[in-house]
Amino acid sequence: MSSTGLRYSLILAMMFFVCTSQARPFFREGGVSGGGGNVINPTPPNEALDGETAEEIVKASFKYVHIYLQDKASQYQNNEMSPADQNLYAKIFEGNNNIINAVGTIRPKVEDERPCFDFASKPVDASVVSRKPNTFCVSAFSLGQKVIHSEIPIQSTALMIHEYSELIGLSEDEAVIFQTKALEDLKTMELPPLEISEDDHH
């Protein structure tokens, strides 16, 4: 390799490290694959919701992440799950790099004008790749285009569960399993109304 080619490769490697290392303090070995996630079976809107309004909904929905995980953690700790689910949820609740600690340390960075991008620069609805340290990306812009207004809270919550799962080291397939379960559970949970405010920032 020429010295110019070597220098170029080193610059690319350094850029990749700077762009991704801050977003992944909880990664376990063998964790993330593409680093991105998308909504699952959304009901499309008749008319796309503007990014700013969708952003307010997504930010307000972050409290549902806490509510959902507290509920599941209680079931897990009290052995109120099937043996299969007990084994499954051990992956996110056990150890120091568990999902509860991740939620307390890493916050969503909500984008209202663009999609998120995974490690391959592919546009996605959410991604562990973020422009700010200790955050991951959630695209309110994408959700407003893809998801009916009334479903954005549970779709964004399930999507955030997906990204937190990847941040603590689960594979893409495992993250989709937890996202799918969260979406199913959230549809039947009695959730408090959202308090949406323009000042609701993380």
Side-chain angles (χ1 to χ4, degrees):
M1 180 182 292
S2 68
S3 60
T4 301
L6 178 59
R7 189 180 306 117
Y8 180 72
S9 296
L10 288 172
I11 290 171
L12 284 179
M14 289 173 65
M15 288 176 63
F16 181 82
F17 177 78
V18 168
C19 290
T20 61
S21 62
Q22 291 287 357
R24 306 193 294 160
F26 278 80
F27 279 3
R28 296 173 182 160
E29 185 177 354
V32 163
S33 48
N38 291 296
V39 292
I40 296 172
N41 297 325
T43 303
N46 292 325
E47 184 176 345
L49 189 65
D50 68 276
E52 289 186 1
T53 302
E55 178 187 15
E56 293 172 10
I57 297 171
V58 173
K59 287 182 174 179
S61 300
F62 183 65
K63 76 174 182 178
Y64 287 168
V65 174
H66 290 276
I67 291 170
Y68 175 74
L69 289 175
Q70 287 170 1
D71 181 70
K72 299 308 287 188
S74 175
Q75 293 178 33
Y76 173 75
Q77 291 163 1
N78 294 321
N79 293 309
E80 295 172 351
M81 299 177 171
S82 68
D85 277 352
Q86 285 288 137
N87 289 333
L88 179 65
Y89 281 89
K91 294 181 179 182
I92 63 171
F93 290 132
E94 294 295 337
N96 291 329
N97 294 347
N98 61 66
I99 199 167
I100 302 298
N101 288 343
V103 170
T105 307
I106 307 170
R107 293 299 181 97
K109 171 70 173 70
V110 184
E111 299 283 355
D112 66 346
E113 296 182 342
R114 69 182 190 99
C116 302
F117 297 91
D118 66 11
F119 289 127
S121 298
K122 175 184 174 182
V124 287
D125 299 335
S127 175
V128 298
V129 180
S130 178
R131 297 188 289 184
K132 289 183 64 177
N134 298 319
T135 67
F136 61 92
C137 178
V138 179
S139 176
F141 170 82
S142 295
L143 269 69
Q145 300 283 321
K146 293 182 177 182
V147 183
I148 192 170
H149 187 150
S150 59
E151 278 185 14
I152 290 178
I154 62 171
Q155 282 283 0
S156 63
T157 300
L159 197 54
M160 286 186 267
I161 297 295
H162 175 125
E163 298 310 316
Y164 277 119
S165 298
E166 287 197 295
L167 283 164
I168 63 170
L170 273 63
S171 69
E172 182 78 24
D173 289 344
E174 289 172 319
V176 169
I177 290 171
F178 282 105
Q179 179 185 359
T180 302
K181 283 184 168 290
L183 193 57
E184 292 171 353
D185 291 338
L186 288 161
K187 287 178 180 178
T188 61
M189 288 177 68
E190 293 186 12
L191 296 165
L194 294 178
E195 298 173 5
I196 298 174
S197 168
E198 292 183 1
D199 297 324
D200 185 15
H201 295 292
H202 297 298

